[in-house]
Amino acid sequence: MDERAILAGLPGAPGSWNLEEDMEELAELARSSGALPVAQVVQHQRRRDPATLFTSGKAQEVADAVRAQDATLVLTNQGLSPRQQMRMEDLVGCRVVDRTRLILDIFARRA
């Protein structure tokens, strides 16, 4: 495993899926990609900041976890726009990848 990953999650649409199961799946996807999940940060409220997707306090918590765990990657369970991804990367100081991009990367490696 070459990367240390922080898993960052938010709830989806009401009733769409179980956040705990979603985070477990994200951890398995991380392992499949060669990353080691070292911490998890979950925002339970549905309120989102359009700049980073996460509320400012939760985004800072992700950044703190990156530093504390010496992580090289943040994986999110929700899709990020290119602007949100860029802002999160600036805030946390490492690469940020959403679930969809992670799945595409896994398929590309195995193709």
Side-chain angles (χ1 to χ4, degrees), residues 61-108:
E61 189 177 329
V62 172
D64 293 344
V66 166
R67 285 188 289 286
Q69 297 294 329
D70 197 27
T72 56
L73 176 66
V74 171
L75 300 172
T76 67
N77 72 324
Q78 297 287 319
L80 296 169
S81 72
R83 185 171 296 248
Q84 288 169 330
Q85 179 182 356
M86 183 177 64
R87 286 183 178 153
M88 279 296 290
E89 286 177 345
D90 288 345
L91 179 68
V92 302
C94 69
R95 193 164 60 106
V96 176
V97 177
D98 67 21
R99 181 181 181 279
T100 301
R101 179 83 250 161
L102 179 61
I103 291 169
L104 292 173
D105 289 348
I106 292 168
F107 283 133

Side-chain angles (χ1 to χ4, degrees), residues 21-90:
E21 290 174 6
D22 196 43
M23 296 306 290
E24 289 171 15
E25 179 185 353
L26 187 61
E28 287 302 316
L29 289 169
R31 289 183 197 95
S32 293
S33 75
L36 174 66
V38 294
Q40 180 174 296
V41 177
V42 175
Q43 176 176 305
H44 292 284
Q45 56 184 298
R46 295 189 190 285
R47 195 181 104 231
R48 298 166 187 220
D49 184 332
T52 61
L53 189 64
F54 295 89
T55 60
S56 60
K58 200 53 74 170
Q60 185 59 54
E61 189 177 329
V62 172
D64 293 344
V66 166
R67 285 188 289 286
Q69 297 294 329
D70 197 27
T72 56
L73 176 66
V74 171
L75 300 172
T76 67
N77 72 324
Q78 297 287 319
L80 296 169
S81 72
R83 185 171 296 248
Q84 288 169 330
Q85 179 182 356
M86 183 177 64
R87 286 183 178 153
M88 279 296 290
E89 286 177 345
D90 288 345

